[in-house]
Amino acid sequence: TTMDVAAEDSDQMPSGFHAKAAAKAARLRREAAKLASASALESPGGIESRPGEWAPTQSKLLRRVAVAARPGHFELSLQYGPYSVAYDTTGRLLALCGRGGHVAAFEWRQKRLMFESQVNEPCHALTWVGAGSTPQLAVAHSNWTYIYDAQGLELHCLKRLHKANKLFWLPRHWLLAACTDTGHLHWQDVSTGQTVASYCGHHGPLRVSALHPDSGCVLTGQPNGQLCIWTPLEKRPVVKMLCCPAGVRAVATAPAGHAVYTLGGDSRLRVWDIRCLRPLSVSDSGADAASIRLFDAAPQLAVSQRGLLACPVRQGAALMVLPAGGAKPLLSHPSPGRLSDLAFCPWEDVLAFGHARGLGSVLVPGSGEPNPDGAVHPLSGKRQRREAEVRGLLDKLPPETIAPPAVGGGVNAVDAEGIEEALARKRAAVMALPSDEVRQFQPRRRSGKASGELNRKVGERWQRRRMELRQLLKSKKRVLAEMGDEGADAAGGRKTKKAKKVSQSGELTKPATGTFLDRLIPKAD
């Protein structure tokens, strides 16, 4: 054994100090071996079906999976659908919102409700903002976008995000991106509350959109078949690519990688590499098969962490999951209502889907990454999530780093030197002391709303007009004084005729100065 070897080595040691050091080294090796066996990487799961067999159902999967994975299968019947669903970055929380104004969030493993509210207006999209100990939920209402805390209290109202239909959270940049029905794109900095960019895309309503997590770009599909890539620093698409001949109905991106999935109006699924803007193979028949046909596919797509693709079929009445490199479905599941949204759970083999009659969740073996590599994961505690939130806020990337790999010149290419120079110039401009000329400068006083040459000219013009009127009045008074009473009667005769009125009997009568009530007085015979 190891202890015997250590004892034999201790007899051969020249002193007792070396014997103790050898025993300590053997003990440390044993502890390291135990730690390595405990922290061994888990292998991802999957579904293996034999040729000619049907895809497994959920009832068969529930009988064969572990007990800890069974809470991932449940069904909720709700009446304010169709619903949209969203997981947070840790995969611990699940939120939903319906077109009938129903908003709720809960921990799906323990089925513990966090909050539930009725906002009495349609809700079109939602996403989790932040990943710390106090997560927040952004919900796109019919007009504006609201942010709620974990108890359902309203924190902010983002009126600039008007009529948003898609919301995306960029955790590395702390930005909230939105695509609206009015054709505008917005990027809002959540940490400072400032608007980084807001402009019109000039492509009509942006109802088909997705976020590329690796680069932070927003992808939109157009009715003419183009796929546009947007960044907050450019008001025009940095990349335009013709993907589908019959219009783009749905677009999705892989959370880990550079694959972009598009579903066209011809019901064909195509996969593109965003680095080289070229199609990839999506079937086992060879590299020439650049697309597969999905009959009666609804315009919804979702991609898991390990590349599994979920899409509704049969006009949204059923759900189908496809592998990354093949066209044969791994499993299918019927839906109680027409599917409206899909979302894979991070770090778990679970797929949630919203439909017209509520919310459902199914087990998809092999969809989630079994080995979390980040500071925030499903098993992280409250203190660890809080520290991760502070660390992420300190390491926040500027919006200048958002660029697709095809434009940036490589994979994750960032002009680090240019960013450092810009930050140095900004720091020098802020910290520099003002010069003597700046200290001696005193702004000129200005009175009134208007100033300058225009104000002076307007004043002179009114002054000349005022003098002319005064001279005209003086000359008129002088002429009337010279004419005497005749001139006064001639000047005031017109006024006398209006002021005095002679009746038929020869008596003077006062002019009629009555009110609307005089019509009630009886007339004289």
Side-chain angles (χ1 to χ4, degrees):
T1 61
T2 309
M3 297 298 295
D4 298 337
V5 174
E8 294 176 359
D9 294 341
S10 62
D11 296 339
Q12 300 176 3
M13 292 295 176
S15 63
F17 173 77
H18 296 85
K20 292 180 180 179
K24 184 177 181 180
R27 180 173 56 83
L28 292 177
R29 284 195 296 269
R30 290 194 303 271
E31 293 179 357
K34 291 181 181 180
L35 183 61
S37 60
S39 62
L41 298 179
E42 297 182 3
S43 59
I47 300 176
E48 296 181 359
S49 59
R50 298 176 182 177
E53 291 184 353
W54 293 92
T57 59
Q58 289 295 309
S59 59
K60 293 182 179 180
L61 291 176
L62 288 174
R63 289 196 298 266
R64 297 185 180 183
V65 298
V67 178
R70 293 180 182 178
H73 180 271
F74 60 89
E75 182 72 29
L76 298 177
S77 297
L78 305 172
Q79 58 180 347
Y80 297 103
Y83 280 88
S84 300
V85 295
Y87 285 99
D88 67 333
T89 55
T90 63
R92 186 173 56 94
L93 306 178
L94 176 61
L96 57 95
C97 69
R99 300 298 185 272
H102 182 209
V103 181
F106 61 98
E107 295 183 5
W108 62 270
R109 287 189 184 87
Q110 292 82 11
K111 305 299 185 295
R112 186 176 67 87
L113 182 65
M114 299 175 60
F115 74 91
E116 183 180 11
S117 62
Q118 175 61 246
V119 298
N120 296 325
E121 61 176 330
C123 300
H124 302 280
L126 77 165
T127 183
W128 288 96
V129 177
S133 58
T134 57
Q136 301 174 3
L137 182 65
V139 182
H141 291 208
S142 58
N143 288 329
W144 303 324
T145 301
Y146 295 84
I147 296 181
Y148 301 94
D149 64 353
Q151 285 75 31
L153 300 178
E154 180 183 334
L155 300 179
H156 306 284
C157 176
L158 307 178
K159 295 185 178 181
R160 184 174 290 274
L161 307 185
H162 179 61
K163 292 186 178 181
N165 54 36
K166 287 287 185 179
L167 296 176
F168 306 106
W169 166 243
L170 284 69
R172 300 177 183 175
H173 306 81
W174 280 73
L175 296 179
L176 178 63
C179 298
T180 65
D181 289 335
T182 59
H184 288 75
L185 293 96
H186 306 279
W187 281 268
Q188 188 91 12
D189 194 338
V190 179
S191 60
T192 61
Q194 298 179 353
T195 301
V196 176
S198 178
Y199 50 80
C200 181
H202 301 285
H203 288 81
L206 302 177
R207 297 188 178 126
V208 180
S209 58
L211 175 69
H212 189 256
D214 193 13
S215 61
C217 301
V218 176
L219 288 74
T220 60
Q222 308 301 332
N224 57 1
Q226 287 185 351
L227 181 68
C228 301
I229 303 178
W230 305 83
T231 60
L233 300 182
E234 296 290 338
K235 294 186 178 181
R236 298 292 179 184
V238 294
V239 174
K240 279 187 178 182
M241 181 174 57
L242 184 62
C243 295
C244 306
V248 181
R249 299 179 59 195
V251 59
T253 58
H258 303 279
V260 178
Y261 299 80
T262 59
L263 180 64
D266 54 353
S267 299
R268 285 194 172 273
L269 178 68
R270 298 173 176 85
V271 186
W272 307 83
D273 192 345
I274 196 174
R275 295 171 294 181
C276 56
L277 305 179
R278 293 181 179 179
L280 299 177
S281 176
V282 292
S283 67
D284 299 333
S285 57
D288 295 335
S291 65
I292 60 175
R293 188 171 182 87
L294 300 176
F295 295 96
D296 297 333
Q300 295 290 338
L301 293 176
V303 185
S304 68
Q305 290 180 325
R306 297 192 59 83
L308 298 185
L309 178 68
C311 61
V313 293
R314 289 186 294 178
Q315 298 296 329
L319 176 67
M320 184 174 64
V321 179
L322 300 174
K328 184 179 178 180
L330 293 178
L331 61 87
S332 61
H333 181 72
S335 175
R338 183 179 177 84
L339 292 173
S340 57
D341 196 10
L342 302 171
F344 278 98
C345 180
W347 322 113
E348 293 288 345
D349 296 341
V350 177
L351 171 64
F353 57 93
H355 51 83
R357 297 183 180 179
L359 169 71
S361 178
V362 295
L363 300 177
V364 183
S367 62
E369 181 65 37
N371 304 302
D373 56 352
V376 179
H377 53 84
L379 301 180
S380 58
K382 185 176 181 180
R383 182 177 179 180
Q384 187 176 2
R385 292 195 299 269
R386 184 168 58 248
E387 293 178 355
E389 183 179 11
V390 175
R391 190 180 301 108
L393 185 59
L394 296 176
D395 298 339
K396 182 181 68 172
L397 297 178
E400 291 79 5
T401 58
I402 299 178
V407 179
V411 180
N412 295 332
V414 177
D415 187 9
E417 298 180 358
I419 294 176
E420 290 294 337
E421 292 178 0
L423 293 176
R425 289 195 300 268
K426 188 175 181 179
R427 193 180 300 108
V430 172
M431 301 301 296
L433 295 176
S435 59
D436 297 337
E437 298 179 358
V438 176
R439 291 195 187 98
Q440 297 176 1
F441 172 76
Q442 294 181 358
R444 180 171 57 89
R445 282 192 172 185
R446 297 180 178 180
S447 61
K449 295 184 179 179
S451 60
E453 189 69 16
L454 180 62
N455 191 12
R456 184 181 60 81
K457 291 183 178 180
V458 171
E460 292 179 356
R461 185 166 61 251
W462 280 104
Q463 187 68 19
R464 289 195 301 268
R465 180 62 176 168
R466 194 179 299 109
M467 294 301 296
E468 291 176 358
L469 291 175
R470 288 180 181 179
Q471 292 178 3
L472 182 61
L473 290 175
K474 288 181 180 181
S475 60
K476 186 176 181 180
K477 289 181 180 180
R478 186 172 59 254
V479 171
L480 292 176
E482 293 176 355
M483 293 177 62
D485 297 339
E486 296 180 358
D489 295 341
R494 203 168 155 190
K495 184 181 290 186
T496 305
K497 289 181 181 179
K498 282 188 176 181
K500 296 181 180 181
K501 193 173 182 181
V502 181
S503 62
Q504 296 179 359
S505 60
E507 297 179 357
L508 293 177
T509 60
K510 294 182 180 181
T513 57
T515 62
F516 69 97
L517 296 177
D518 295 342
R519 68 185 67 181
L520 302 178
I521 301 176
K523 296 182 179 180
D525 296 336

